[in-house]
Amino acid sequence: MTRHLRRTLVVTAVSALAGLGLTAAPATAATAGPHTPAGQIPSLRELPEPPDPVKARELLADLVVADEDDVPGYSRSKFPHWITQYGTCDTREVVLQRDGQDVVQDDQCRSISGTWYSEYDGKTAASASGIDIDHVVPLKEAWRSGASQWTTPERRAFANDLVHSQLIAVSAGSNRAKGDKDPGNWKPPLQSYWCTYSRAWISVKANYQLTANPAEAAALSQMLDTCGT
């Protein structure tokens, strides 16, 4: 990915967040100001819609398909998250609020009640402690398919991307079963979600110009077949 394109993606993400009333704050900075009242929480609902199946196939065809090296030096700390988005709300709390039902937050923006349905495995949790925020394209997968060449601010933007279909609240069990696996090695247990998952994965890889290995690309194509007509 060229530096110009990466910078364009970061600026685009920041601009889109601003349009939603959010700000992408530095990972080490605490945003001043009181907790945002419930009526002012951005009205985001569920995973941002990925491209339709036809467009997803076009994007998949344009991905660079190459074997991925296990590039040394990976650490989750090189993808700073969760950053403050507004008030006292970090990225995790924004996604919990967005993806949950009847979510109540305390004055520190912590989700203290609500229910969350996990699209990966169909499980419902009545406590935020049972929910993980999944990076659809895992951080280590991004690292070995191109992100090792990015700057820390670029990796921070990727790890906290609320604009593209990159973050979703799912059961802790399904997230941990997935780990850093790509679709060639792991798919959501619910086959009914394969269409959305593959479209989301392809969209993120295309937006950030990350590569795909041959088994991953083949699995994504097969998952798109479940989209129907």
Side-chain angles (χ1 to χ4, degrees):
M1 181 186 296
T2 66
R3 185 167 299 278
H4 172 73
L5 180 55
R6 292 199 304 268
R7 185 178 297 111
T8 298
L9 287 169
V10 172
V11 170
T12 299
V14 170
S15 298
L17 288 173
L20 294 169
L22 305 176
T23 56
T28 57
T31 302
H35 168 63
T36 303
Q40 296 179 29
I41 292 174
S43 57
L44 307 176
R45 296 307 308 165
E46 303 177 343
L47 185 80
E49 185 66 21
D52 64 44
V54 173
K55 181 61 177 178
R57 284 198 183 277
E58 293 174 359
L59 293 173
L60 176 60
D62 288 338
L63 290 182
V64 174
V65 177
D67 291 330
E68 296 168 358
D69 297 323
D70 195 5
V71 182
Y74 168 76
S75 169
R76 287 178 66 85
S77 65
K78 293 183 178 180
F79 293 79
H81 66 289
W82 305 111
I83 65 172
T84 300
Q85 294 288 354
Y86 59 89
T88 57
C89 300
D90 65 17
T91 308
R92 171 179 164 82
E93 294 299 341
V94 171
V95 179
L96 285 172
Q97 170 69 23
R98 183 197 73 186
D99 289 3
Q101 295 293 324
D102 302 319
V103 177
V104 175
Q105 296 173 312
D106 65 15
D107 60 2
Q108 295 300 309
C109 200
R110 293 171 297 204
S111 298
I112 57 175
S113 66
T115 58
W116 291 266
Y117 175 78
S118 172
E119 298 283 5
Y120 287 178
D121 55 9
K123 295 181 179 179
T124 299
S127 171
S129 63
I131 293 295
D132 283 356
I133 306 306
D134 181 48
H135 292 94
V136 171
V137 175
L139 303 181
K140 190 171 184 180
E141 165 65 19
W143 174 268
R144 61 189 173 221
S145 58
S148 62
Q149 302 302 310
W150 299 353
T151 66
T152 297
E154 290 163 350
R155 288 192 287 266
R156 181 173 62 226
F158 176 84
N160 296 275
D161 188 349
L162 293 166
V163 177
H164 303 104
S165 45
Q166 166 66 340
L167 299 173
I168 184 171
V170 297
S171 69
S174 65
N175 183 50
R176 293 164 198 181
K178 172 184 173 180
D180 64 358
K181 302 180 184 72
D182 66 34
N185 296 298
W186 186 91
K187 300 176 182 67
L190 282 183
Q191 187 170 341
S192 59
Y193 198 66
W194 286 8
C195 175
T196 301
Y197 187 77
S198 59
R199 289 157 50 217
W201 183 286
I202 292 165
S203 174
V204 172
K205 285 239 165 168
N207 274 307
Y208 286 92
Q209 290 201 343
L210 296 170
T211 63
N213 67 51
E216 172 191 349
L220 288 166
S221 180
Q222 293 168 357
M223 293 170 78
L224 284 176
D225 289 342
T226 68
C227 295
T229 58

